[in-house]
Each structure stands twice: as C-alpha cells, then as structure tokens.
C-alpha cells in the first residue's frame, strides 16, 4: 500500500477498525439535475441505505414506494416487496446500459443499480482501495483556493461495479477526502467532479455527510452551474 493511501485510510478511521465491522446503515437524501435527464422523479424524501463493508452489497428503502426496497449486487439488481416477493429483477444489470448516453431515460432497475453501486463506492472509500485487485498511484495534486489536495488514481478491478475502471481522489492536509473525480461509464462516460465535505465522527471513523457532483470541464474545473447529483447523509450506524 502506498503511503498516501495508508495515511488516508488511517485519517478516516483505520483499516483494522473498518474490518471489524460488517455493515453500515445511513439515512440519505438525494437531488440534482441528473434525475430529470434520466426521466426519473427523484423526491427529497429520506431513505435508508444499508451496505456490506467487506463485499459489494447494498439496499435502499423505500424504493419507488413504501414497502419496497432495492437490493443490489454486481450480478443482480432487484426491487423486493416487504414480504420478500420480487417485484422486478435483472441479472447482469450493467449490460442493460449499452449505448446509453447522459440523456437516455432509465427504468426503475437502471436507477436502482446506479443508486446502489454509487453509494457503496462512496461510503466505502478510501477503505475499499486496500482490497485485492486495486492498483493505486499518486498523481498531480489539485489546488483548491489556498489548499493543496494530494491526488491518488485508483484502477478498479473488473469484479467491482462502479462508475468506471479509473477514478481519482484528492485528500486535504488532514488526509480526509475532499474530491472524487470519475467518468460515468453507464451514461455515455460523462466526466464529473464530486466535492466531499462536512465529515462527522462516528465510532472512531470520519465520514463525510455532504456530496455534490458537478459536470467537469476538460481543464478539470467543476461546472458549478451543472449540479448533477446531491447527496446528504446522516444517522450512520455500524454493526
């Protein structure tokens, strides 16, 4: 593990502490312009996200309506009723995004897959970068105002469902995540810069509660008038 990643993981709570837990639950509220582009009615109602920390699994509820939840793994996405009945399901869900661009409308399973893999990636970073199969290296820092944020490029293994194989992370002087850059492969590969802020302390971890995802220009500058996704998180609970 390169020193930059080791220091970032330690600043966020440490790998030993992370590996001592199995699951994390949080309340999420999402917004932004992406949903309208995708033909999705995204309200501001709080939802409950549950993720597994040691493998890529997630659920979100309520999903679409009360009494339903989305259940995700890289191989399968499903909408499940409270009684366990499968409302809708798709195996190999990533294949369903073939030839999509930023404005291609999504069905409910497209939306569920994107929501779940994105949240799992965000909440488990930077710890997931210590898993087998990841390749990481330090890149040029990013200057934001008076601060210099150190950069790390991660190449994701094929077994992890995420935005794309290559993603960049930037860490502030305290080694906490400040920014996360990537291209959204399943929506035409459009580039974004996600700003990460307002961390809270929970059980020895430092977890950000505010995420704002902007379209990104060729010069790596965020387009502040193009807020694609907003995510606010609260009520973190480990078990």
């Amino acid at each position: 593990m390169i020193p930059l990643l080791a220091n970032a993981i330690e600043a966020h709570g440490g790998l030993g502490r992370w590996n001592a837990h199995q699951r994390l639950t949080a309340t999420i509220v999402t917004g932004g312009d992406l949903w309208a582009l995708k033909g999705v009615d995204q309200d501001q109602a709080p939802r409950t996200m549950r993720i597994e920390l040691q493998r890529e699994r997630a659920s979100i509820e309520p999903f679409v309506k009360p009494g339903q939840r989305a259940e995700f793994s890289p191989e399968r996405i499903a909408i499940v009723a409270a009684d366990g009945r499968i409302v809708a399901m798709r195996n190999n869900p990533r294949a369903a995004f073939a030839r999509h661009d930023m404005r291609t409308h999504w069905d409910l399973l497209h939306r569920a897959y994107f929501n779940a893999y994105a949240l799992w990636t965000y909440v488990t970073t930077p710890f997931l970068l210590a898993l087998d199969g990841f390749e990481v290296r330090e890149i040029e820092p990013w200057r934001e105002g008076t601060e210099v944020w150190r950069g790390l490029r991660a190449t994701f293994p094929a077994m992890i469902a995420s935005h794309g194989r290559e993603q960049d992370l930037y860490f502030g002087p305290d080694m906490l995540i400040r920014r996360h850059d990537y291209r959204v492969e399943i929506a035409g590969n459009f580039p974004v810069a996600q700003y990460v802020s307002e961390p809270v302390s929970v059980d020895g971890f430092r977890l950000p509660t505010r995420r704002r995802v902007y379209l990104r220009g060729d010069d790596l500058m965020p387009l502040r008038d193009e807020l694609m996704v907003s995510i606010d998180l609260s009520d973190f609970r480990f078990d």
Side-chain angles (χ1 to χ4, degrees), residues 209-223:
T209 62
R210 178 183 170 92
R211 295 175 178 272
R212 296 295 183 266
V213 183
Y214 301 95
L215 279 182
R216 191 187 72 207
D218 292 338
D219 57 358
L220 303 186
M221 292 295 294
L223 306 180

Side-chain angles (χ1 to χ4, degrees), residues 25-198:
T25 302
T27 299
I28 59 171
V29 175
T30 58
D33 297 338
L34 177 65
W35 314 110
L37 293 175
K38 292 299 183 182
V40 170
D41 181 18
Q42 181 67 39
D43 60 38
Q44 295 289 298
R47 292 172 171 81
T48 298
M49 169 200 72
R50 296 182 177 88
I51 66 169
E52 295 190 26
L53 305 184
Q54 311 307 328
R55 61 176 186 162
E56 194 174 10
R57 300 289 186 275
S59 69
I60 302 167
E61 64 178 311
F63 190 79
V64 181
K65 64 181 182 180
Q68 291 186 170
R69 66 184 182 274
E71 291 188 351
F72 159 81
S73 71
E75 302 82 17
R76 173 183 176 271
I77 189 69
I79 300 171
V80 183
D83 62 3
R85 177 176 52 89
I86 302 296
V87 176
M89 184 182 73
R90 180 174 289 150
N91 292 317
N92 190 20
R94 202 171 189 91
F97 293 89
R99 296 179 296 280
H100 278 211
D101 62 27
M102 191 166 67
R103 291 174 173 78
T104 306
H105 280 196
W106 282 346
D107 63 25
L108 295 178
L109 291 170
H110 289 126
R111 173 186 171 189
Y113 176 81
F114 173 81
N115 284 170
Y117 88 63
L119 287 167
W120 187 87
T121 298
Y122 302 155
V123 176
T124 60
T125 301
F127 303 99
L128 85 162
L129 303 182
L131 293 175
D132 290 341
F134 280 87
E135 298 177 9
V136 298
R137 63 183 178 89
E138 189 160 358
I139 59 174
E140 289 295 316
W142 176 258
R143 295 183 180 273
E144 186 83 17
T146 60
E147 288 193 346
V148 176
W149 299 346
R150 292 177 66 183
L152 181 149
R153 178 160 295 164
T155 301
F156 281 55
M159 65 182 180
I160 298 293
S162 192
H163 292 300
R165 291 293 305 279
E166 197 170 86
Q167 303 183 32
D168 294 342
L169 297 156
Y170 296 93
F171 301 92
D174 55 5
M175 285 291 100
L176 296 181
I177 297 172
R178 296 290 201 278
R179 177 170 159 164
H180 182 183
D181 285 19
Y182 47 85
R183 289 180 175 270
V184 184
E185 182 182 88
I186 62 173
N189 224 32
F190 69 87
V192 300
Q194 177 182 150
Y195 279 75
V196 183
S197 61
E198 300 183 20

